[in-house]
Amino acid sequence: MATDYYVNPKGNDSWSGTLKKPNVKLTDGPFKTLERAKLAIRTLKKSKAFKNKVTVNLASGVYYLNQPLNLNLIDSGLPDREILWQGEPGAQVTLSAGMPVTCKKRDATFWDCPLLKLPASTAYFDTSRIKGNTPKFELFVNDQKLELARWPDKDWAHIKSPLDQKTQFSVMETLPTLTGDIKAAQVHIFAGNDWYDQYIGVDSVNQLSNAIKLPDLTTYPLISGRRFYIQNLPSLLNAPGEWLFDAAAKKISVIPPADMASMEFMLTSLPNILFIDGASYLTFKNISFKYSTGTAITLKNSKNVALDRVEVSNIGGKGIEIQKGQNVILSNSSIHHTGAQGVVVSGGDRNTLQASGHVIHNNHIHHMSTTILTYTPGIDINGVGVTVTHNLLEYGAGTAILIKGNEHLIEKNEIHHFCMQASDCGAIYSGRDWAARGNVIRYNSIHDIIGYGMKSVDVAKNQAVYQSPDGARGVYLDDGASGFEVNGNILENAGLMSIQVGGGRDNKIVNNYIKTNEYAIWLDARSADYDWNQNQKILEASPYKSPVWAQKYPDLASPMHNKKWPEGNRIEHNVIVTTNPVGLFLRYHVPVDSIIIANNLVWSTIGKPRVNFEILGSNKNIVGNSWVQWAEQKIERGSIVADPCVSINDKKMTTCPDSPIKDIGFKPLPIDIGLIR
């Protein structure tokens, strides 16, 4: 028979844990803590009584942790004796790394929260991109994250002029009067572009010259018009939803959000909630994880571990990180409101191309990257052979899925509303690696990819204009990304470029349905100043000459005719509809040979389709040509201009009986894209 242990916030760690409820005499009953249940399983093993499956049943309630639950090899199950940690059926179970605080109303505006003790966290979750002297924890009210007191209260301020390359700048807007210790302040800044943000402390502020000096270098050089805000000074606490920490007085001051009848205040405290290293045959099910300052759940070097129907939310850093290991499955779960990535997953052996077997399936991942806005995607993939299927990803400041490595499958996901605070940004992104081959992006619905970036700046007028949408892509194969298959996707309103191949090689763009008011497909050879040597160095560091790689990727071992040209790409059997009045929807920088563009169907709902193209190695670089002029180049063959008579409803394609898409060999798309409810 299986062994069951029971845990209840009202239990007692001196009891046996084998009873679901206390007995009448209150001499036995459930455990109180997860640590005690862990010890019981270890004792079971030592006594050689571990002969069956073990289930740890958690009763409804909040379990406040004094330390993360750490499991290792000793805590593993076996193939026929798995260990299951689960919330009881119907129970609402929360493992909390947070610290409740009591706050009292000071006056009509402010509340004060004296801290009898401080949160456990003493460091930022990302010390490379977050620097300064702000609190290393966050404050939530009724599960809503509050912002450190800041200026401007909403939106951004802007750099007027750099006073040196990376530390000093004047400000377009008039700085408010700043009181308190200026070295406790911090700026959140996009210093030189719209794709990389960071936090840096403040060295000094010159109110007379309206300028700020930073103690550390920005990653990119400062540029006029770029955006920032300043936070964590007493004089900036002036708007609902803001808070401030007085370290000397050990007190938090808050202006709560409006319209809250009752309020529960919670600080993030522990860096982690669950840490599994080197364990196997474990399952966690029906459990919520909340309020850690760093990564909520880490699985390291672990095999055959499952996270099913878990919720991870209100996390300072990453939601879940899977490092190395084999066959870890995250399924049917919700990961949301994380300061950095929702899920980070790596594994497999790139030398041998052995797959990790990790699976991210049927999860709802949303509102990630709430602190660091860029390069903190919903799902961050590395290694070999990760499968990402049937997920719903929505509402992210930057990228939805970031891909590094080989043989990953991104299939039947719905992705929308990304790149909401970034430009030059892709909903699905990979870049700068000729050797990252075998990756498949198929049967996904990608729509409403937004983009936000600087349009113009006028220093004399103290004016920086930002616009949205701007500079986003649906599928972005950047800086030479190669060997991808982009097949059978539905892309609607998927950014400035639905699919961009940025100088890459041997990519297959086939059987996609694209509807856009911007560019549907953009294939380029990179700018003249792009450094291809970095791609060469990455290639040489890979085992591409090994027998395994040579057999798997024969194109990679073949000599390049011109490494600066996007050779070997195939663009076939796509249905492309433009709603742009000008009809400009394709841009091709292509060699005459070594590329196949064929059997596509194009249609303009308003005007006539037009193409920008450059024939590499010739003097033909023509903007805004008619489709006829493009067809005369005889690079694209067998394609037709016709109304596809197609409609998309709830991620499903329907066609008229006489739709011409059959004439281009377009294959039907699956009808089960997105979450499996």
Side-chain angles (χ1 to χ4, degrees):
M1 296 179 62
T3 301
D4 281 87
Y5 293 106
Y6 297 91
V7 186
N8 191 307
K10 298 178 181 178
N12 190 319
D13 281 349
S14 66
W15 291 341
S16 70
T18 58
L19 299 180
K20 183 175 182 178
K21 295 181 179 180
N23 62 14
V24 175
K25 296 182 179 181
L26 298 182
T27 57
D28 197 6
F31 295 137
K32 181 180 179 64
T33 67
L34 281 75
E35 284 291 332
R36 181 65 184 86
K38 181 178 79 170
L39 179 61
I41 297 172
R42 290 184 173 185
T43 301
L44 187 74
K45 292 181 175 183
K46 286 181 180 179
S47 64
K48 301 187 184 303
F50 178 46
K51 300 180 182 296
N52 301 288
K53 294 181 179 180
V54 174
T55 300
V56 179
N57 300 279
L58 307 179
S60 287
V62 179
Y63 297 80
Y64 291 102
L65 304 183
N66 295 319
Q67 61 184 9
L69 179 62
N70 288 289
L71 304 177
N72 56 39
L73 178 63
I74 301 173
D75 305 296
S76 296
L78 293 169
D80 58 346
R81 284 170 276 175
E82 295 87 355
I83 296 175
L84 168 63
W85 296 71
Q86 70 167 0
E88 294 176 345
Q92 300 292 321
V93 176
T94 299
L95 305 189
S96 177
M99 188 176 81
V101 291
T102 300
C103 302
K104 295 183 179 181
K105 195 171 185 178
R106 184 201 314 168
D107 53 35
T109 302
F110 297 96
W111 289 58
D112 291 326
C113 317
L115 301 183
L116 300 179
K117 66 174 183 177
L118 296 178
S121 182
T122 59
Y124 297 120
F125 69 85
D126 186 334
T127 55
S128 64
R129 291 180 68 178
I130 307 179
K131 301 179 185 296
N133 297 313
T134 54
K136 310 305 188 293
F137 52 86
E138 297 175 319
L139 175 64
F140 289 80
V141 177
N142 296 355
D143 275 349
Q144 177 180 332
K145 178 182 172 179
L146 303 190
E147 289 195 88
L148 278 174
R150 53 167 284 182
W151 174 85
D153 294 326
K154 302 294 181 184
D155 205 5
W156 301 82
H158 302 88
I159 298 169
K160 181 172 184 177
S161 298
L163 303 179
D164 63 19
Q165 190 176 40
K166 291 188 174 183
T167 63
Q168 299 183 71
F169 58 93
S170 60
V171 181
M172 284 188 176
E173 298 81 2
T174 301
L175 286 166
T177 300
L178 300 174
T179 61
D181 180 8
I182 198 64
K183 295 188 184 300
Q186 184 185 57
V187 295
H188 182 194
I189 188 168
F190 284 81
N193 51 55
D194 290 311
W195 63 82
Y196 187 90
D197 63 312
Q198 60 189 131
Y199 293 78
I200 299 179
V202 176
D203 182 76
S204 62
V205 172
N206 189 323
Q207 301 270 181
L208 292 177
S209 61
N210 208 49
I212 295 174
K213 182 180 179 181
L214 309 176
D216 295 295
L217 301 177
T218 57
T219 299
Y220 290 92
L222 298 157
I223 292 178
S224 296
R226 294 300 172 186
R227 50 193 159 126
F228 77 97
Y229 60 80
I230 188 169
Q231 63 181 9
N232 201 47
L233 288 173
S235 55
L236 304 181
L237 183 60
N238 61 359
E242 291 185 344
W243 68 286
L244 193 76
F245 174 51
D246 185 335
K250 294 185 179 180
K251 181 184 73 172
I252 287 173
S253 298
V254 188
I255 304 178
D259 303 323
M260 284 191 174
S262 62
M263 290 180 282
E264 294 183 359
F265 295 84
M266 184 73 66
L267 297 179
T268 57
S269 181
L270 296 178
N272 315 107
I273 303 173
L274 174 63
F275 193 94
I276 303 175
D277 188 358
S280 57
Y281 296 102
L282 300 174
T283 296
F284 287 80
K285 187 175 183 179
N286 297 331
I287 303 173
S288 293
F289 300 80
K290 290 188 174 184
Y291 300 122
S292 66
T293 61
T295 301
I297 301 174
T298 298
L299 295 97
K300 185 177 180 182
N301 302 315
S302 297
K303 298 180 180 180
N304 302 301
V305 175
L307 301 171
D308 185 51
R309 293 179 174 83
V310 303
E311 180 187 22
V312 177
S313 64
N314 296 345
I315 304 301
K318 304 170 188 175
I320 299 171
E321 184 162 17
I322 301 164
Q323 302 175 12
K324 300 182 179 179
Q326 195 81 25
N327 301 327
V328 174
I329 299 175
L330 169 66
S331 60
N332 309 310
S333 297
S334 175
I335 298 93
H336 60 97
H337 292 92
T338 62
Q341 295 95 322
V343 179
V344 180
V345 53
S346 64
D349 187 330
R350 205 176 183 205
N351 288 323
T352 63
L353 295 178
Q354 178 185 354
S356 67
H358 298 325
V359 176
I360 313 299
H361 173 73
N362 202 46
N363 304 287
H364 186 192
I365 303 171
H366 60 100
H367 294 92
M368 71 302 298
S369 58
T370 60
T371 300
I372 298 178
L373 306 181
T374 56
Y375 294 105
T376 50
I379 304 177
D380 193 338
I381 302 167
N382 204 343
V384 181
V386 174
T387 298
V388 178
T389 59
H390 285 291
N391 301 283
L392 170 60
L393 296 101
E394 56 183 346
Y395 301 109
T399 293
I401 300 177
L402 182 83
I403 303 170
K404 296 179 182 178
N406 298 64
E407 303 297 321
H408 304 304
L409 174 62
I410 315 299
E411 181 179 66
K412 296 184 179 181
N413 305 282
E414 181 181 3
I415 300 169
H416 69 88
H417 287 89
F418 279 87
C419 302
M420 297 182 73
Q421 282 288 340
S423 186
D424 196 11
C425 167
I428 299 179
Y429 179 91
S430 186
R432 218 165 273 190
D433 191 348
W434 282 327
R437 305 255 166 160
N439 297 302
V440 177
I441 302 168
R442 71 183 180 197
Y443 309 144
N444 302 283
S445 172
I446 305 169
H447 60 93
D448 299 302
I449 308 305
I450 308 302
Y452 180 80
M454 187 170 73
K455 180 181 179 181
S456 63
V457 58
D458 189 328
V459 174
K461 294 182 179 180
N462 278 341
Q463 186 179 66
V465 177
Y466 280 72
Q467 64 182 10
S468 182
D470 182 85
R473 284 86 161 154
V475 176
Y476 192 0
L477 306 181
D478 194 17
D479 289 344
S482 299
F484 276 76
E485 178 183 325
V486 182
N487 180 5
N489 301 282
I490 299 172
L491 298 108
E492 298 181 288
N493 187 31
L496 176 66
M497 307 167 202
S498 297
I499 300 174
Q500 181 177 8
V501 178
R505 316 174 69 83
D506 306 317
N507 296 292
K508 299 177 182 178
I509 314 299
V510 296
N511 212 74
N512 301 283
Y513 173 81
I514 306 171
K515 186 175 182 180
T516 180
N517 193 50
E518 303 289 349
Y519 283 97
I521 300 175
W522 181 301
L523 171 61
D524 69 54
R526 303 284 77 186
S527 62
D529 60 350
Y530 181 73
D531 182 10
W532 286 102
N533 290 324
Q534 59 188 336
N535 293 66
Q536 188 67 43
K537 290 178 181 178
I538 294 171
L539 176 64
E540 294 301 331
S542 75
Y544 78 100
K545 295 180 181 179
S546 70
V548 172
W549 278 60
Q551 182 179 5
K552 188 75 174 180
Y553 311 126
D555 291 338
L556 185 59
S558 300
M560 298 182 189
H561 173 261
N562 188 325
K563 70 180 182 181
K564 297 182 180 181
W565 288 2
E567 298 175 340
N569 294 292
R570 304 175 71 100
I571 301 173
E572 300 179 282
H573 311 296
N574 300 286
V575 175
I576 305 170
V577 178
T578 175
T579 59
N580 190 311
V582 178
L584 188 60
F585 71 120
L586 296 168
R587 181 163 180 169
Y588 291 140
H589 296 241
V590 294
V592 173
D593 301 316
S594 75
I595 193 165
I596 295 174
I597 306 177
N599 301 311
N600 299 293
L601 183 151
V602 300
W603 182 246
S604 176
T605 61
I606 300 176
K608 295 182 178 181
R610 306 178 71 83
V611 183
N612 284 352
F613 65 86
E614 176 186 7
I615 310 301
L616 298 173
S618 75
N619 60 355
K620 293 182 179 180
N621 186 354
I622 307 173
V623 176
N625 279 274
S626 68
W627 178 261
V628 172
Q629 290 172 300
W630 164 243
E632 288 174 350
Q633 308 305 311
K634 296 184 178 180
I635 292 174
E636 180 153 3
R637 300 175 182 273
S639 298
I640 61 175
V641 179
D643 185 344
C645 200
V646 167
S647 62
I648 305 293
N649 184 30
D650 191 25
K651 305 177 288 296
K652 299 177 181 66
M653 173 185 281
T654 57
T655 61
C656 302
D658 58 349
S659 170
I661 66 172
K662 63 180 181 299
D663 298 331
I664 62 165
F666 189 89
K667 297 179 181 178
L669 302 182
I671 60 173
D672 61 341
I673 297 171
L675 282 178
I676 302 171
R677 300 290 183 177

